[in-house]
Amino acid sequence: MNHINHSDIISQHCCYCNLKLSIPPHNARQVVVCPRCHSQLDDGRSWSLKRLFILSITLLMLAPIAFWQPLISIHLLGTQIYANVIEGISLINHQGDPLSASIIAFCAIVAPLFLPIALIYLYIGKYFSLNLRPVLLVLSRLKEWVMLDVYLIGVGIAAIKLQDYASVFIGNGLIAFITMTLISLLILIHLNIEQLWRTFYPKREQADDPHALTCQACHFTAPANQRGVCQRCHRPLHHREPYSLQKTWAALIAAMILLFPANLMPISVVYINGQRMEDTIYSGVVSLIDSGNWPIAAIVFIASILVPFIKILIMILLLFSIQHRSGTDPVLRMKLLKFVSWIGRWSMLDLFVIALMMILINRDQLMSFTMGPAALFFGVAVILTILAVEWLDSRLIWDSYAKSQSTK
């Protein structure tokens, strides 16, 4: 029989529900799950930094082809027109909407490129004793913002919509973009930030200390140091995230306000032979249904209409349950929080489709496709809903549940 050395047992608090845990030694392929909130503290899918480094180099080699080479092309009015990621963002910026262009650029280019650059920095930095804490902190928040997979779906939707205007062809950069998307997904799935923290900054967890607090940034449990910051990541340490409910409410209310013009105003404008045709998000879905593209209409409806409203509704219910000390099953509420965290990024789909179509349908006076005023409102609303989920400290769910049980 194998005996576990008590000195090897890690004593920590769950970063999601604050339950004190004693975790025995385990290998990188074993899954560690909190018995109370059922959150995975270690998903058992950790790859070595060397393997991640090699994949990161591959990503950077593919990036110029994926971003600059054509993804799709169309034959319109006797001309072959090509669309790539960079040109679409540049066109939106030149048409006087730099904020929308910045949102698309961050989700489709900046965040996907930061992922391999950060991993390369970590791999090289360990040999030169560089400060790796800021990079690890950003990597822990990066997953929601790498949207290559969403953009790829947008390419498919744009290609189907463009069939009404012209013949669509696959561009040279599409294979590179698909490969880049798959590699990015593999990296994000097998990137174990907690394991990297333990590798670069090994410190003993101190959950038994009465003054121990759990850092929400690096998930380390120990008392704050003399400067009041986490001993491992040097981020300010608090019992609960300051103003978590206030920040979440502010983001949700702002998003709700922005969703009204986002849905009532045109999100795209098409000029054909001098005739202006506007489409709101809803009318765009209806036009897809009328043209027989039911599957695409369903995807756009779910991503652009259903998801934002469901996300806001669930978040409001969670906030009310916390503030009114609801006795509703906290595990169910945790599942709802994880669900809205997963679905929120897909609402960017419509903006990606518009960015591609603007390049392809732009033939001066005969035909052109531009971004409507609703696009900016919609993009900012999506960003705010993602931030609202990130700002909510899930431990407050368990605090409110404990208070509700104590009053019975």
Side-chain angles (χ1 to χ4, degrees), residues 71-84:
L71 300 177
I72 55 176
S73 64
I74 63 171
H75 191 75
L76 180 65
L77 302 175
T79 306
Q80 196 76 14
I81 310 167
Y82 303 92
N84 61 47

PDB file of all heavy atoms in Angstrom, residues 71-84:
ATOM      1  N   LEU A  71      -9.032  34.847 -47.198  1.00  0.00           N
ATOM      2  CA  LEU A  71      -9.775  33.721 -46.616  1.00  0.00           C
ATOM      3  C   LEU A  71     -10.805  33.196 -47.614  1.00  0.00           C
ATOM      4  O   LEU A  71     -10.929  31.998 -47.826  1.00  0.00           O
ATOM      5  CB  LEU A  71     -10.464  34.163 -45.322  1.00  0.00           C
ATOM      6  CG  LEU A  71      -9.558  34.670 -44.203  1.00  0.00           C
ATOM      7  CD1 LEU A  71     -10.390  35.134 -43.014  1.00  0.00           C
ATOM      8  CD2 LEU A  71      -8.583  33.586 -43.757  1.00  0.00           C
ATOM      9  N   ILE A  72     -11.539  34.132 -48.188  1.00  0.00           N
ATOM     10  CA  ILE A  72     -12.496  33.785 -49.245  1.00  0.00           C
ATOM     11  C   ILE A  72     -12.424  34.863 -50.324  1.00  0.00           C
ATOM     12  O   ILE A  72     -11.917  35.965 -50.089  1.00  0.00           O
ATOM     13  CB  ILE A  72     -13.952  33.664 -48.723  1.00  0.00           C
ATOM     14  CG1 ILE A  72     -14.366  34.949 -48.000  1.00  0.00           C
ATOM     15  CG2 ILE A  72     -14.113  32.450 -47.842  1.00  0.00           C
ATOM     16  CD1 ILE A  72     -15.818  34.954 -47.534  1.00  0.00           C
ATOM     17  N   SER A  73     -12.936  34.569 -51.503  1.00  0.00           N
ATOM     18  CA  SER A  73     -12.990  35.549 -52.580  1.00  0.00           C
ATOM     19  C   SER A  73     -14.281  35.349 -53.354  1.00  0.00           C
ATOM     20  O   SER A  73     -14.900  34.282 -53.304  1.00  0.00           O
ATOM     21  CB  SER A  73     -11.782  35.409 -53.519  1.00  0.00           C
ATOM     22  OG  SER A  73     -11.807  34.153 -54.176  1.00  0.00           O
ATOM     23  N   ILE A  74     -14.699  36.409 -54.051  1.00  0.00           N
ATOM     24  CA  ILE A  74     -15.905  36.315 -54.868  1.00  0.00           C
ATOM     25  C   ILE A  74     -15.619  36.911 -56.246  1.00  0.00           C
ATOM     26  O   ILE A  74     -14.704  37.731 -56.411  1.00  0.00           O
ATOM     27  CB  ILE A  74     -17.106  37.056 -54.231  1.00  0.00           C
ATOM     28  CG1 ILE A  74     -16.825  38.563 -54.119  1.00  0.00           C
ATOM     29  CG2 ILE A  74     -17.461  36.465 -52.884  1.00  0.00           C
ATOM     30  CD1 ILE A  74     -18.035  39.371 -53.716  1.00  0.00           C
ATOM     31  N   HIS A  75     -16.373  36.485 -57.233  1.00  0.00           N
ATOM     32  CA  HIS A  75     -16.295  37.046 -58.590  1.00  0.00           C
ATOM     33  C   HIS A  75     -17.524  37.909 -58.774  1.00  0.00           C
ATOM     34  O   HIS A  75     -18.644  37.420 -58.932  1.00  0.00           O
ATOM     35  CB  HIS A  75     -16.251  35.927 -59.630  1.00  0.00           C
ATOM     36  CG  HIS A  75     -15.911  36.416 -61.002  1.00  0.00           C
ATOM     37  ND1 HIS A  75     -14.636  36.776 -61.371  1.00  0.00           N
ATOM     38  CD2 HIS A  75     -16.695  36.613 -62.104  1.00  0.00           C
ATOM     39  CE1 HIS A  75     -14.636  37.171 -62.628  1.00  0.00           C
ATOM     40  NE2 HIS A  75     -15.876  37.082 -63.097  1.00  0.00           N
ATOM     41  N   LEU A  76     -17.316  39.238 -58.721  1.00  0.00           N
ATOM     42  CA  LEU A  76     -18.430  40.173 -58.749  1.00  0.00           C
ATOM     43  C   LEU A  76     -18.195  41.244 -59.806  1.00  0.00           C
ATOM     44  O   LEU A  76     -17.145  41.891 -59.822  1.00  0.00           O
ATOM     45  CB  LEU A  76     -18.591  40.824 -57.369  1.00  0.00           C
ATOM     46  CG  LEU A  76     -19.715  41.849 -57.197  1.00  0.00           C
ATOM     47  CD1 LEU A  76     -21.078  41.186 -57.371  1.00  0.00           C
ATOM     48  CD2 LEU A  76     -19.624  42.515 -55.832  1.00  0.00           C
ATOM     49  N   LEU A  77     -19.157  41.428 -60.703  1.00  0.00           N
ATOM     50  CA  LEU A  77     -19.107  42.459 -61.736  1.00  0.00           C
ATOM     51  C   LEU A  77     -17.812  42.393 -62.542  1.00  0.00           C
ATOM     52  O   LEU A  77     -17.160  43.401 -62.820  1.00  0.00           O
ATOM     53  CB  LEU A  77     -19.264  43.855 -61.104  1.00  0.00           C
ATOM     54  CG  LEU A  77     -20.545  44.083 -60.284  1.00  0.00           C
ATOM     55  CD1 LEU A  77     -20.523  45.456 -59.619  1.00  0.00           C
ATOM     56  CD2 LEU A  77     -21.769  43.934 -61.173  1.00  0.00           C
ATOM     57  N   GLY A  78     -17.400  41.168 -62.857  1.00  0.00           N
ATOM     58  CA  GLY A  78     -16.211  40.961 -63.677  1.00  0.00           C
ATOM     59  C   GLY A  78     -14.896  41.100 -62.944  1.00  0.00           C
ATOM     60  O   GLY A  78     -13.837  41.101 -63.566  1.00  0.00           O
ATOM     61  N   THR A  79     -14.954  41.210 -61.618  1.00  0.00           N
ATOM     62  CA  THR A  79     -13.736  41.403 -60.829  1.00  0.00           C
ATOM     63  C   THR A  79     -13.642  40.334 -59.741  1.00  0.00           C
ATOM     64  O   THR A  79     -14.648  39.990 -59.101  1.00  0.00           O
ATOM     65  CB  THR A  79     -13.721  42.798 -60.171  1.00  0.00           C
ATOM     66  OG1 THR A  79     -13.921  43.785 -61.160  1.00  0.00           O
ATOM     67  CG2 THR A  79     -12.405  43.045 -59.453  1.00  0.00           C
ATOM     68  N   GLN A  80     -12.430  39.828 -59.532  1.00  0.00           N
ATOM     69  CA  GLN A  80     -12.198  38.889 -58.438  1.00  0.00           C
ATOM     70  C   GLN A  80     -11.814  39.698 -57.199  1.00  0.00           C
ATOM     71  O   GLN A  80     -10.823  40.443 -57.200  1.00  0.00           O
ATOM     72  CB  GLN A  80     -11.066  37.911 -58.793  1.00  0.00           C
ATOM     73  CG  GLN A  80     -11.002  36.683 -57.895  1.00  0.00           C
ATOM     74  CD  GLN A  80     -12.096  35.667 -58.222  1.00  0.00           C
ATOM     75  OE1 GLN A  80     -12.733  35.754 -59.264  1.00  0.00           O
ATOM     76  NE2 GLN A  80     -12.306  34.715 -57.327  1.00  0.00           N
ATOM     77  N   ILE A  81     -12.597  39.570 -56.129  1.00  0.00           N
ATOM     78  CA  ILE A  81     -12.394  40.350 -54.902  1.00  0.00           C
ATOM     79  C   ILE A  81     -12.006  39.405 -53.770  1.00  0.00           C
ATOM     80  O   ILE A  81     -12.650  38.371 -53.573  1.00  0.00           O
ATOM     81  CB  ILE A  81     -13.665  41.132 -54.523  1.00  0.00           C
ATOM     82  CG1 ILE A  81     -14.190  41.901 -55.735  1.00  0.00           C
ATOM     83  CG2 ILE A  81     -13.396  42.084 -53.359  1.00  0.00           C
ATOM     84  CD1 ILE A  81     -15.587  42.449 -55.541  1.00  0.00           C
ATOM     85  N   TYR A  82     -10.986  39.790 -53.021  1.00  0.00           N
ATOM     86  CA  TYR A  82     -10.457  38.939 -51.952  1.00  0.00           C
ATOM     87  C   TYR A  82     -10.701  39.581 -50.592  1.00  0.00           C
ATOM     88  O   TYR A  82     -10.706  40.811 -50.463  1.00  0.00           O
ATOM     89  CB  TYR A  82      -8.958  38.710 -52.145  1.00  0.00           C
ATOM     90  CG  TYR A  82      -8.600  38.090 -53.479  1.00  0.00           C
ATOM     91  CD1 TYR A  82      -8.289  38.891 -54.574  1.00  0.00           C
ATOM     92  CD2 TYR A  82      -8.590  36.707 -53.633  1.00  0.00           C
ATOM     93  CE1 TYR A  82      -7.968  38.318 -55.802  1.00  0.00           C
ATOM     94  CE2 TYR A  82      -8.270  36.132 -54.855  1.00  0.00           C
ATOM     95  CZ  TYR A  82      -7.959  36.942 -55.935  1.00  0.00           C
ATOM     96  OH  TYR A  82      -7.652  36.371 -57.139  1.00  0.00           O
ATOM     97  N   ALA A  83     -10.892  38.746 -49.571  1.00  0.00           N
ATOM     98  CA  ALA A  83     -11.113  39.239 -48.208  1.00  0.00           C
ATOM     99  C   ALA A  83     -10.137  38.583 -47.235  1.00  0.00           C
ATOM    100  O   ALA A  83      -9.998  37.356 -47.224  1.00  0.00           O
ATOM    101  CB  ALA A  83     -12.546  38.950 -47.770  1.00  0.00           C
ATOM    102  N   ASN A  84      -9.458  39.402 -46.452  1.00  0.00           N
ATOM    103  CA  ASN A  84      -8.621  38.869 -45.372  1.00  0.00           C
ATOM    104  C   ASN A  84      -8.941  39.594 -44.076  1.00  0.00           C
ATOM    105  O   ASN A  84      -9.706  40.565 -44.056  1.00  0.00           O
ATOM    106  CB  ASN A  84      -7.126  38.973 -45.711  1.00  0.00           C
ATOM    107  CG  ASN A  84      -6.678  40.406 -45.923  1.00  0.00           C
ATOM    108  OD1 ASN A  84      -6.993  41.295 -45.146  1.00  0.00           O
ATOM    109  ND2 ASN A  84      -5.919  40.633 -46.998  1.00  0.00           N
TER     110      ASN A  84
END
